[in-house]
Amino acid sequence: MRSADYVIKRLAFALFTIFMAITINFFLFRVIPGSAVTDLARVPNATPQLRHALTVEFGLNDSKLHQYFTYLWQLVHGNMGISYVNQQPVFPQLLNDLKNTIPMVTIGTVAAIIIGVFFGIVSAWRRDSAVDHVSTSLAIAFYSFPPQFLGLVLLILFAGTLPSSGMEYALAGVFGSVGFWSRLQDIGIHMVLPATTLCLTLYGEFTLIMRSSMLETLGEDYVLTARAKGLRNGKIVVRHALRNALLPIVTLVAMSLGWIMGGAIIIEFIFTWPGIGWAMWEAVSQRDYPMLQGGFLILAIAVVGCNFIADLAYFKLDPRVSE
Amino acid sequence: MSMLLQEAAVGPLPEVSRRPLRTVLRHHKSGLIGLGIILFFIVIALAAPVLMPYSPTVQSCAVFAPPSAKHWFGCDDGGIDLLSEIMLGGRISLLIGFAATLVSMVIGGGVGILSGYFGRWVDIVLMRITDYLLVIPPLAFALVVADVWGPSVVHVIIVIGILQWAPTARIIRAQVMTVKERVYVKRVRAMGASDTRIIARHVLPQVAPLLVANTVLTVAVAIYLETTLAFLGLEDPSSVTWGTILQHAFDRAAVSAGAWWTIVPDGIAISLLIMGCFLLGRAIEDALNPRLRVGHLSTRRWKLRPLVGLGPDAI
Amino acid sequence: MSLLEVRDLHVWFELPNGTELHAVQGVSFDLDHGERLGLVGESGCGKTTTILALMGLFPPSVSVAGEVIVNGENILGKGESLIRDYRWKELAMVFQGAMNALNPLMTVGRQIVEPMELHGIASGAAARKRAGELLEMVGIAASGADRYPHEFSGGMRQRASIAMGLACQPKILLADEPTTALDVMVQAQILELLVGLSNELGLALILVTHDLPVVAQVCERAAVMYAGKIIENGTTEDLYHRPRHPYTRLLFATTPDLYDDDDVISIPGVPPRLDRQIVGCPFQPRCDSAFERCSSEQPALKSLDVGHSAACHLNDVPVSVTAKPESSPRNGQALDAVDGSDDGS
């Protein structure tokens, strides 16, 4: 009842946002003057046949409204169009790219959350101590580093030690690594630098938020109650403060998913990581609009989906939600 | 509870005056540092033509020459002095940062005020758009828009401005909704003041300090987005900005050449400016919304004083 | 031997600007088994700090002097790690406005069981059973143990925190403004519950409040605090009918009376800041009966009758000198020992 209501509400919101993304996507590419698909002359190396095929496929001679419904109809059937560059359907390619993006982004983000939460707790616990000052300063510094800068610095520092690119070969098993484990190891080594870069650019903000959230929580009356009961500091933090202080972190992670994906695009670009960000960058440089449009849509859906999951997590963590 | 405990241990809270900036600079050292950093870069950007030791377009040293007494930050792949480039690059980066922030403040402040003040369907429509912008991956969106429109400084400003107004709108809306309910605002409305007048005379001044804090934080995000778009090649390639300097370094194999000086000073300039904005913005926010709470965790031991010389009450 | 003896308790807070705030300035009192003591004063007078000190609950950067003797041992001398064993077992506490005293993410039952398990009173199913019994004792169904604090009303939350306070069968219950933020009906119920429990369990109670009449209803004895000191101490009978300090008298007078059309009287001015040295009587600037001596010399707490003491220079001078024949019968009664009830206080 209460929970079903909540889930349905959040689901409706997620679906609505995806619908908005699709619609804005359409406008961006078809309606705004000088937008990509309308202006077919901008498609590089377009043969008359391709132009004709595109005109038919997108219904460019029909009214905008008709085009919009055609577009929706195609999307529902998993058709995001044909890549201008390799003439292959966009959707399966992007799904494959997403498969490479997810592990790297997940590992980097989860590591950032763990490190951020840990240092946030330590900082709040030992407020105004040397540890707090060092940790907070570092967090502010890393928060300020743009990922491209951090990525390039890591590239220079670890040049020759850790691979900076070549992930696509690792995935394809080109290095002749035989067997599951050696291939996994290969992939793992390639993942170190990109995932570390992502982790470092994210952990600073998580630390700062966790610290202030924890400080706020430690000032709550139930913490004083816990102390009055005779609990030790460690138990007070773990049992009473931590869960309460984590609630804002869940919101923060959900809110910054869009930014995390943005960081992933740059990082994939720097480390030639064959993920969805790399695909989008390639699409930009080759003016492959269907690919770009599809990539944006998939990223948007992924972020909205993760937000939905975060909503559910929040619901699970906080009994007060939806009262 | 224990307000006494709270107040006693932190002392009287700093009064938030009507001039938040002054309060900030007096009570929050980090805000002062932040302001210092921002002013430093503004001065450098304004005075760049005078300060630049070499021309930013003409070769003045060897390709990838390392830092030296003559060229403090070394030279890039074209033999151009990097210090001069960074000084000049700050101009466009700052211009884009501030201009984009202005755009986002106008849209975000406007949407927030309209939405919070009028409520009802205005609020519903505007907030759904805001929700959408809040979850959409900003860089991907910027990539799409910048690419569709083509690279130019103005486009980048508009793209960043459009992307950044959503959080501002949210914050301002919440603030307006509380201001709207205050007694004196209600009284003024009952006296027949027009909406425009109420917003201009009563709502805006109340919301302004928060808008300032948010502006400073948005500048940081705008500059970050600018450097990133430039890095991905979505800015006019002929312009010199902090973003394009990094992009050139990466494109022209500075990494494999080991020319760290093409990356580090520029990256530090970007980071410092973002840090400055963050410090100042956070300090203003803290001053507006003091959340100084005393932690209830125990210290390991309290100090025990002997009962000597405590006056007539000592037993 | 008393159950609890507080001897010349001082608490200083170190302020960030380097100065000190002398929050509690030499407080002494005793508490016997089953006795109910009220600690009264305006906010900021040090009463909360005093009872937090009884459990060693200090904020960081604090210094303390004096003794808090429980079971013949000075627990202040023991330090945080040793004092833990005393907390909740000897003295438990019911906090102000139960809203935040309970962890919002934990069921009420878990929070009642927690101290039992910690102090080895009971564990597992036995502890849960006892939690249910405690809830029933305070008037909540045992099934309430599985609910979260936000599902309770304000009054029920306060009942639940009282149940939590009783978890380890303490001898002393400290209640800090237990009825603020509750509506009047619920306030009366909670006070009744506290009195009932105290009688039933032989529980000693310290009730901290700014509301002197509430103390008069619940407690046999009361100590009035002002500016970090106890300025009058006696049976509630004595304090009500024969106040020996103008502040006590004014505190009774400030309470609105249902049957009186007079405007509510408030004591003008604010208590002095405790981060500064106070010369003379701290109440002198607000006192309606002050004379020269009050601005130069600080009065000490002196015993006047059996179990009645006050810190006021008026008690040293003959009646005729200080009794002020002013218009309001509320003025100038410190020495007159007039029955206060006839003027509607």
Side-chain angles (χ1 to χ4, degrees):
Chain A
M1 306 84 343
R2 176 180 87 96
S3 50
D5 256 13
Y6 178 81
V7 172
I8 289 171
K9 245 191 199 157
R10 299 316 300 171
L11 190 65
F13 174 73
L15 290 177
F16 180 75
T17 313
I18 289 172
F19 173 72
M20 289 267 288
I22 290 170
T23 307
I24 290 183
N25 217 354
F26 174 82
F27 272 85
L28 219 51
F29 281 85
R30 314 267 183 106
V31 180
I32 292 175
S35 54
V37 181
T38 337
D39 192 6
L40 284 176
R42 285 176 66 194
V43 178
N45 318 320
T47 60
Q49 289 94 320
L50 177 61
R51 281 186 202 191
H52 180 69
L54 288 171
T55 312
V56 173
E57 190 195 335
F58 293 114
L60 293 183
N61 295 330
D62 301 325
S63 71
K64 294 288 182 213
L65 193 69
H66 194 269
Q67 285 182 38
Y68 176 60
F69 285 113
T70 314
Y71 170 71
L72 286 184
W73 184 249
Q74 286 172 345
L75 270 185
V76 170
H77 290 84
N79 179 3
M80 290 186 169
I82 309 288
S83 162
Y84 289 173
V85 174
N86 58 20
Q87 327 290 326
Q88 297 296 311
V90 164
F91 188 57
Q93 297 182 57
L94 285 171
L95 270 192
N96 195 45
D97 292 335
L98 193 64
K99 241 172 35 210
N100 298 338
T101 298
I102 287 174
M104 189 266 286
V105 171
T106 311
I107 290 176
T109 309
V110 169
I113 293 172
I114 294 172
I115 297 173
V117 165
F118 176 77
F119 280 109
I121 294 173
V122 171
S123 257
W125 192 334
R126 295 263 174 268
R127 183 189 194 174
D128 289 332
S129 67
V131 181
D132 178 24
H133 290 308
V134 170
S135 157
T136 305
S137 308
L138 271 180
I140 293 176
F142 277 100
Y143 167 80
S144 307
F145 291 149
Q148 60 269 36
F149 172 51
L150 211 59
L152 291 179
V153 168
L154 288 182
L155 265 186
I156 295 176
L157 285 177
F158 293 98
T161 326
L162 284 166
S164 62
S165 62
M167 183 60 187
E168 62 261 54
Y169 306 116
L171 283 170
V174 171
F175 297 134
S177 42
V178 212
F180 177 74
W181 288 113
S182 61
R183 226 177 112 203
L184 195 69
Q185 190 189 357
D186 218 20
I187 293 172
I189 288 178
H190 281 83
M191 211 182 280
V192 172
L193 281 185
T196 307
T197 309
L198 187 64
C199 169
L200 287 179
T201 52
L202 296 176
Y203 109 90
E205 190 177 11
F206 293 156
T207 304
L208 294 172
I209 301 282
M210 188 65 199
R211 178 179 180 274
S212 66
S213 167
M214 196 70 185
L215 281 179
E216 186 93 347
T217 309
L218 288 178
E220 292 286 354
D221 297 342
Y222 52 78
V223 171
L224 187 60
T225 309
R227 197 173 146 210
K229 282 177 176 173
L231 263 70
R232 287 164 186 284
N233 281 351
K235 269 203 174 141
I236 295 176
V237 168
V238 171
R239 218 186 262 175
H240 291 275
L242 185 59
R243 243 180 95 192
N244 280 287
L246 272 176
L247 290 176
I249 291 285
V250 175
T251 315
L252 172 77
V253 174
M255 291 287 289
S256 44
L257 278 171
W259 288 101
I260 296 174
M261 295 315 291
I265 294 178
I266 304 171
I267 287 164
E268 290 188 358
F269 171 60
I270 295 173
F271 295 100
T272 334
W273 187 265
I276 200 154
W278 176 257
M280 284 182 75
W281 184 79
E282 264 192 334
V284 166
S285 58
Q286 295 167 335
R287 305 220 158 273
D288 189 350
Y289 288 111
M291 195 67 129
L292 186 57
Q293 193 176 10
F296 172 64
L297 202 55
I298 286 184
L299 273 193
I301 292 172
V303 171
V304 173
C306 291
N307 257 293
F308 178 62
I309 294 171
D311 280 338
L312 296 187
Y314 200 97
F315 181 73
K316 196 96 188 101
L317 277 171
D318 189 347
R320 288 165 299 182
V321 166
S322 89
E323 284 288 308
Chain B
M1 66 137 290
S2 56
M3 263 316 284
L4 171 77
L5 208 132
Q6 309 275 347
E7 274 165 28
V10 294
L13 296 173
E15 188 107 336
V16 179
S17 68
R18 294 182 68 86
R19 300 170 186 281
L21 203 63
R22 193 181 290 175
T23 319
V24 168
L25 300 181
R26 200 173 298 156
H27 294 283
H28 300 256
K29 210 171 46 185
S30 63
L32 198 62
I33 297 172
L35 185 67
I37 293 174
I38 297 171
L39 289 179
F40 170 76
F41 281 113
I42 291 179
V43 168
I44 296 243
L46 290 177
V50 188
L51 292 177
M52 281 191 302
Y54 300 93
S55 159
T57 45
V58 180
Q59 181 168 6
S60 56
C61 54
V63 168
F64 285 142
S68 62
K70 276 183 160 177
H71 300 272
W72 291 356
F73 290 174
C75 292
D76 72 0
D77 59 291
I80 292 170
D81 180 60
L82 270 163
L83 178 61
S84 310
E85 272 196 299
I86 292 173
M87 284 179 166
L88 188 72
R91 297 188 115 188
I92 295 182
S93 288
L94 277 169
L95 172 74
I96 293 180
F98 282 111
T101 303
L102 188 70
V103 172
S104 84
M105 283 303 117
V106 171
I107 305 179
V111 167
I113 290 174
L114 289 180
S115 197
Y117 186 80
F118 291 107
R120 294 161 186 266
W121 62 268
V122 179
D123 185 39
I124 293 172
V125 171
L126 290 177
M127 279 306 110
R128 288 298 80 72
I129 300 173
T130 314
D131 282 340
Y132 166 73
L133 282 172
L134 279 173
V135 291
I136 236 57
L139 189 61
F141 190 81
L143 212 62
V144 170
V145 177
D147 189 45
V148 170
W149 286 356
S152 96
V153 170
V154 177
H155 290 168
V156 171
I157 290 175
I158 296 175
V159 168
I160 298 174
I162 289 176
L163 273 173
Q164 272 316 295
W165 64 261
T168 311
R170 273 270 140 142
I171 297 166
I172 298 301
R173 170 179 173 267
Q175 182 75 7
V176 169
M177 282 165 75
T178 59
V179 171
K180 193 177 73 171
E181 292 307 316
R182 296 214 180 123
V183 180
Y184 70 90
V185 175
K186 284 185 164 174
R187 200 181 302 144
V188 172
R189 190 183 311 165
M191 281 157 61
S194 69
D195 288 334
T196 339
R197 192 181 159 81
I198 294 175
I199 291 176
R201 295 288 294 274
H202 301 281
V203 175
L204 212 52
Q206 293 290 319
V207 184
L210 198 64
L211 204 58
V212 170
N214 204 249
T215 307
V216 181
L217 291 171
T218 307
V219 171
V221 179
I223 285 170
Y224 162 77
L225 269 177
E226 184 276 323
T227 56
T228 306
L229 285 179
F231 184 69
L232 292 173
L234 285 164
E235 215 166 82
D236 184 0
S238 62
S239 64
V240 178
T241 78
W242 288 346
T244 53
I245 294 173
L246 275 188
Q247 184 217 0
H248 285 296
F250 184 55
D251 262 12
R252 317 268 160 82
V255 174
S256 48
W260 55 266
W261 54 89
T262 55
I263 293 160
V264 174
D266 186 50
I268 287 178
I270 301 171
S271 310
L272 264 182
L273 185 55
I274 292 177
M275 196 186 296
C277 294
F278 173 74
L279 289 176
L280 181 61
R282 198 175 70 149
I284 300 176
E285 269 186 356
D286 281 353
L288 289 173
N289 179 23
R291 281 177 302 181
L292 285 169
R293 277 191 191 239
V294 181
H296 288 314
L297 283 191
S298 57
T299 39
R300 260 155 294 180
R301 216 184 154 80
W302 50 82
K303 273 176 237 152
L304 262 182
R305 289 193 192 178
L307 270 179
V308 186
L310 288 175
D313 296 324
I315 297 166
Chain C
M1 190 186 69
S2 298
L3 179 59
L4 169 77
E5 288 175 48
V6 179
R7 291 281 157 265
D8 207 23
L9 180 70
H10 289 258
V11 179
W12 294 264
F13 295 121
E14 283 163 34
L15 299 182
N17 59 13
T19 56
E20 272 187 339
L21 190 150
H22 198 170
V24 178
Q25 313 187 352
V27 162
S28 305
F29 60 85
D30 293 345
L31 188 72
D32 278 325
H33 289 272
E35 187 184 11
R36 292 194 289 271
L37 172 73
L39 208 54
V40 196
E42 288 167 280
S43 57
C45 70
K47 52 193 194 311
T48 298
T49 312
T50 304
I51 60 159
L52 287 175
L54 301 185
M55 298 179 82
L57 296 171
F58 301 109
S61 54
V62 73
S63 39
V64 185
E67 293 179 319
V68 172
I69 300 166
V70 182
N71 285 345
E73 271 190 283
N74 175 18
I75 58 171
L76 283 189
K78 289 176 164 291
E80 179 85 16
S81 55
L82 290 167
I83 212 171
R84 272 191 207 113
D85 295 337
Y86 282 84
R87 288 185 183 150
W88 224 254
K89 220 171 150 188
E90 303 292 333
L91 311 96
M93 193 157 176
V94 177
F95 288 95
Q96 207 174 81
M99 180 68 219
N100 290 324
L102 297 169
N103 184 339
L105 303 186
M106 229 186 232
T107 60
V108 170
R110 274 292 293 128
Q111 299 187 56
I112 299 177
V113 165
E114 186 177 37
M116 292 190 228
E117 290 185 331
L118 185 75
H119 293 289
I121 306 279
S123 63
R128 282 196 296 278
K129 184 163 169 286
R130 189 168 147 64
E133 289 165 7
L134 285 167
L135 283 174
E136 282 177 344
M137 198 190 281
V138 298
I140 297 175
S143 60
D146 296 326
R147 297 169 69 184
Y148 289 94
H150 73 278
E151 299 175 83
F152 282 2
S153 67
M156 278 169 85
R157 274 199 294 269
Q158 198 58 305
R159 285 169 190 272
S161 8
I162 293 172
M164 188 164 77
L166 300 176
C168 298
Q169 292 166 299
K171 299 185 190 71
I172 305 168
L173 191 64
L174 311 172
D176 182 11
E177 302 269 10
T179 57
T180 34
L182 298 177
D183 64 62
V184 185
M185 290 292 284
V186 183
Q187 281 190 13
Q189 290 167 4
I190 296 286
L191 291 175
E192 211 171 291
L193 176 68
L194 283 173
V195 173
L197 287 170
S198 151
N199 287 334
E200 220 171 290
L201 306 171
L203 188 70
L205 184 73
I206 298 183
L207 179 69
V208 173
T209 176
H210 59 274
D211 199 347
L212 196 47
V214 162
V215 168
Q217 276 173 47
V218 174
C219 306
E220 296 104 32
R221 263 191 332 123
V224 180
M225 281 189 79
Y226 188 80
K229 288 191 166 95
I230 291 182
I231 50 103
E232 186 161 4
N233 189 350
T235 62
T236 42
E237 261 305 288
D238 278 344
L239 294 186
Y240 188 63
H241 295 298
R242 290 169 290 279
R244 302 298 290 267
H245 195 289
Y247 183 61
T248 312
R249 170 170 49 81
L250 287 167
L251 267 187
F252 272 116
T254 52
T255 314
D257 194 308
L258 278 176
Y259 308 103
D260 195 343
D261 290 337
D262 282 359
D263 287 335
V264 175
I265 292 183
S266 62
I267 308 175
V270 287
R273 292 179 55 158
L274 297 178
D275 55 349
R276 295 180 185 155
Q277 192 71 39
I278 298 168
V279 181
C281 172
F283 189 60
Q284 175 262 329
R286 304 170 72 188
C287 186
D288 56 7
S289 329
F291 58 110
E292 318 84 71
R293 197 177 158 200
C294 302
S295 53
S296 56
E297 191 186 325
Q298 206 168 118
L301 192 67
K302 282 185 194 151
S303 182
L304 303 166
D305 276 315
V306 179
H308 192 174
S309 48
C312 179
H313 292 316
L314 288 172
N315 298 319
D316 295 347
V317 280
V319 177
S320 57
V321 179
T322 50
K324 286 184 181 176
E326 282 186 26
S327 53
S328 166
R330 284 192 179 103
N331 286 332
Q333 281 172 12
L335 294 168
D336 298 352
V338 175
D339 190 334
S341 57
D342 60 5
D343 62 55
S345 51

